[in-house]
Amino acid sequence: MEYAQILQNMSLEEIRAVVEILQKSSDSYIYIFDLDTDTFMMTSRMQVRFPFEEDVIRNATAALQKVIYPSDYNKVREDIVRCTSGEQEFHAIEYRWMDRDNRIVWISSKSTVIRGAGGHRLLVGRVTELGKEAKADNITGLRREIRFQYDAEEILRDRPETIRYMMRIGIDNFKEINEKEGPEAGDNVLRELADCIVAAVDPKVDVYRLMADEFIIVDAFSAAEVDVQAIYNEIRNNVAETVRNKEYSCFYTVSAGVMQDGFESRSAEEILKLTEFALNQAKRNGKNQMALFDREAYDGYLRRLNIRRLMRQDINDNFRGFQVFFQPIISTKDYTLIGAEALLRWGCEQYGNVSPAVFIPILEESGLIIPVGKYVMWQAARTCRKWREIIPHFHVNVNLSYVQMHKSDLIEDVERCIKEVGIPPESLVLELTESGYIETDSRIKSLFKDLKEKNIDLALDDFGTGYSNMRYLKEIQATTVKIDRSFVVQALKNDHDYNIINHIIDMVHSLGFSVCMEGIEEEDELNKMMETKPDMIQGYFFGKPSPADQFEEQFLHTTSFL
Ligand code: C2E
Ligand code: MG
Ligand code: MG
């Protein structure tokens, strides 16, 4: 009997049952389109992927119009009309659909016109996503990411509890290999590493190559708990041996990020994100090692991302949520107010007031410190102008981030600010935290020179916390050294540190710089530290950072702070 005839004797439901079975072993989406009744029947997998309301659609032409990319619609329609009219017996066309997220998906649709029950003309065929064709990797011989997504999706849906672990592996210096040794050497390394990984796991465990230089192992097979560290060690040893055998012609190491639980109700895409986070953690920890996925660290990372998003919104909303506080700086000569440090504050509904120790690094990483830094400078300059009407020599200190020096026109910004606000340059002090940059970066050095020529003072902030180096003082042409509270706390605890701080202050003075001591909280701290003869003091003892209006009320008219 002819196949066509068999089909004519089958009900549509029977044909659909066969199609659903076939769908299980195909990555394409199989469909039946009854041209005579305008009914489109698809497999459930197709309906999950594309925005069809049901898997049987009675008014197919209209429903397809919603899924087909608008400018492709006429082309497709004409082709189907030719099938309906009997002009052609075969439908084969590549065009675009829209998926459930409204993203464009290139597909190839192929089908044949056959006669079904009651003599209806049926188009029976399949839709294949063209972007998913490259399922195997010719370099490593492994399956590719798209295959991982198919397989993982299925395991995650049907039996997540069987997953022992997923390990994502990356080469620590792949970019360097490609750049220095050429792409062919890079391909060789990928091949070698694929072998090293495959050799370390049971043949039944799946290994896939992800994009670039990354691989993922999926063990949903082993019966008992698996020692993931041992597996990683074996891969690492295999790599080291390969490198040795090749006489170090190309040196590389590998890191890994591992998930062992928490697979339930996650998508393959999420798993890729989480394992990527773990892998990056291993690299951040120093590379050539393995890291387990750390839920808490990941939550912290998501929180920082969220804070960044919220701050960006606030910046675009005229710096809503940001505020500049001021903390008094007192002269030790006569205990009068001579200036203030501008300190940034930020808060939001979700997290309340967030510490600068948390949000400043986020602003720096994202470059958002550039607009925010300008905002602080302008607020500080305007406030300073106002307060100079009461204290003529009042100055305001503004903290500066290295990102602002590297990536913005700092000199221009500062000049425009003091000119437009109308304050003399010497009333603005820029505070800079010491760091290794200064020594190496010639652009930054010339920037210091420019600032000096423009009469803008620099203060070296947080002295004593890390990179304390007397030579910097000259390099950055600073006028003031700010001694950090942690140094003060140490000095109050033991004589040795006290002597050090005493000597440092002497030395700073003899080099012609002045000293501001930060973080004096109590009277006995003040008394003890005054013996070291600082020129200025900033600390809770004299006043906490406060909003401008409060500062005015509390400090601006105080004649002596003792
Ligand atoms: P910093 O520049 O060293 O500022 C001094 C910090 O010490 C401030 O912390 C201040 O509130 C705190 N402090 C002052 N006196 C005392 C005291 O007696 N005891 C104690 N325990 N702490 C005291 P804050 O406001 O939390 O700022 C932290 C850091 O955030 C600042 O350290 C600065 O590095 C950064 N920062 C603040 N505002 C800005 C800004 O506008 N731009 C940039 N780039 N960084 C900023
Ligand atoms: Mg400071
Ligand atoms: Mg400081």
Side-chain angles (χ1 to χ4, degrees), residues 276-441:
E276 184 184 17
F277 179 78
L279 174 58
N280 286 339
Q281 189 62 52
K283 290 187 178 180
R284 274 194 297 272
N285 292 348
K287 300 181 177 173
N288 196 22
Q289 58 187 283
M290 184 195 94
L292 293 175
F293 175 72
D294 179 345
R295 177 86 248 169
E296 237 171 80
Y298 188 68
D299 287 345
Y301 161 78
L302 291 183
R303 180 166 175 262
R304 285 193 298 279
L305 277 189
N306 198 28
I307 288 177
R308 185 171 79 191
R309 185 181 60 82
L310 292 168
M311 286 200 294
R312 184 173 284 133
Q313 270 174 13
D314 275 7
I315 291 167
N316 287 317
D317 195 0
N318 209 10
F319 295 95
R320 200 180 74 125
F322 287 96
Q323 214 185 339
V324 180
F325 275 29
F326 295 88
Q327 185 179 25
I329 296 175
I330 308 300
S331 161
T332 53
K333 236 190 286 162
D334 48 10
Y335 293 98
T336 55
L337 180 69
I338 54 164
E341 176 171 5
L343 292 161
L344 184 62
R345 295 290 178 264
W346 180 76
C348 63
E349 256 172 49
Q350 192 177 351
Y351 299 111
N353 290 332
V354 177
S355 157
V358 172
F359 74 76
I360 298 273
I362 300 174
L363 289 174
E364 290 181 327
E365 278 158 24
S366 58
L368 292 172
I369 193 71
I370 290 170
V372 176
K374 264 193 223 174
Y375 159 83
V376 175
M377 188 161 67
W378 279 77
Q379 296 285 320
R382 288 200 189 100
T383 311
C384 183
R385 188 191 54 201
K386 194 171 166 208
W387 291 348
R388 279 171 79 90
E389 287 167 14
I390 294 155
I391 301 173
H393 295 294
F394 194 87
H395 64 81
V396 70
N397 288 23
V398 172
N399 290 286
L400 201 62
S401 151
Y402 277 92
V403 180
Q404 287 167 277
M405 303 180 56
H406 273 291
K407 297 186 181 157
S408 68
D409 302 316
L410 186 72
I411 300 271
E412 271 171 47
D413 292 342
V414 172
E415 272 200 303
R416 184 169 333 119
C417 174
I418 52 180
K419 199 167 143 227
E420 286 185 22
V421 173
I423 49 169
E426 60 273 17
S427 62
L428 183 67
V429 178
L430 298 179
E431 292 195 7
L432 198 66
T433 305
E434 47 187 349
S435 103
Y437 280 121
I438 301 169
E439 223 158 21
T440 50
D441 195 325

Side-chain angles (χ1 to χ4, degrees), residues 341 399 431 461-463 482-484 518:
E341 176 171 5
N399 290 286
E431 292 195 7
D461 204 355
D462 301 343
F463 195 82
K482 297 190 79 173
I483 307 237
D484 190 70
E518 282 192 283

Side-chain angles (χ1 to χ4, degrees), residues 165 167 224-233 260 290:
Y165 72 93
M167 182 185 290
E225 282 298 304
V226 180
D227 183 352
V228 285
Q229 185 67 54
I231 290 170
Y232 168 72
N233 289 349
Q260 285 183 292
M290 184 195 94

